[in-house]
Structures are given as C-alpha cells and as structure tokens.
Amino acid sequence: MCRNIRVLHNFEPAATSDEIRAAALQYVRKVSGSTKPSKANEEAFQRAVDEIAHITAHLLEDLTTTAPPKDREVEAEKARARSRARFAS
C-alpha cells in the first residue's frame, strides 16, 4: 500500500491538494490495515484522511531547503527507468 506515497516536497510546480490527499489516504489505509473501511469506521477513516491531509499541507508549506526544486517530468522518467530495470525479463 505505501508504495503509492510519493515525496511531495521541493517540486516545481508544488504538490497539489489532490496529491496531498492521495498521500494521506494511503497513509490511513496502511495504518488502519484497510483499503475500504466498514460503515462503522467510515467516518473515523475519512476524518483521519482530512486531518492528515491538512497537517501535510502545513508541513509542506513550512519546510525549507536550499536545493533547487526538482522537475516532475525528470523525476517521473527516473522512476519509469527504475521500474523498467526492476521488472525487465
């Protein structure tokens, strides 16, 4: 499950709210051990996703670095190359 959580800091353009929410969702899924909560736990699950996404957005706003921002396309190509090498037959 957690393989879907990606680094969101220091990219140009900055992480979107959808990317932050997707990372929060993956985190809650991992911690809860459930990809889809039961009806009894659905409210707590969604509240946790909302709160974690909110805190993550604040974290990303507050982080600083002297490194130049990473290019999303360059990083995506690196990831594709790693994947091809990993799963090559």
Side-chain angles (χ1 to χ4, degrees), residues 1-82:
M1 277 188 260
C2 275
R3 289 184 203 171
N4 293 332
I5 297 177
R6 303 284 181 239
V7 174
L8 299 176
H9 174 60
N10 199 28
F11 276 98
E12 190 60 44
T16 65
S17 58
D18 288 341
E19 290 172 314
I20 292 169
R21 185 159 181 80
L25 176 60
Q26 288 301 320
Y27 175 80
V28 172
R29 285 176 173 173
K30 182 65 171 188
V31 170
S32 70
S34 170
T35 57
K36 186 170 182 351
S38 66
K39 288 287 185 191
N41 294 322
E42 190 170 3
E43 183 179 334
F45 190 92
Q46 289 305 317
R47 185 174 57 247
V49 171
D50 293 340
E51 290 175 5
I52 291 167
H54 181 77
I55 294 300
T56 301
H58 284 293
L59 172 65
L60 292 172
E61 289 171 5
D62 293 344
L63 291 174
T64 61
T65 184
T66 58
K70 295 177 259 182
D71 182 278
R72 288 179 178 278
E73 286 304 314
V74 170
E75 295 301 316
E77 183 51 42
K78 287 180 188 176
R80 286 189 289 271
R82 285 191 303 270

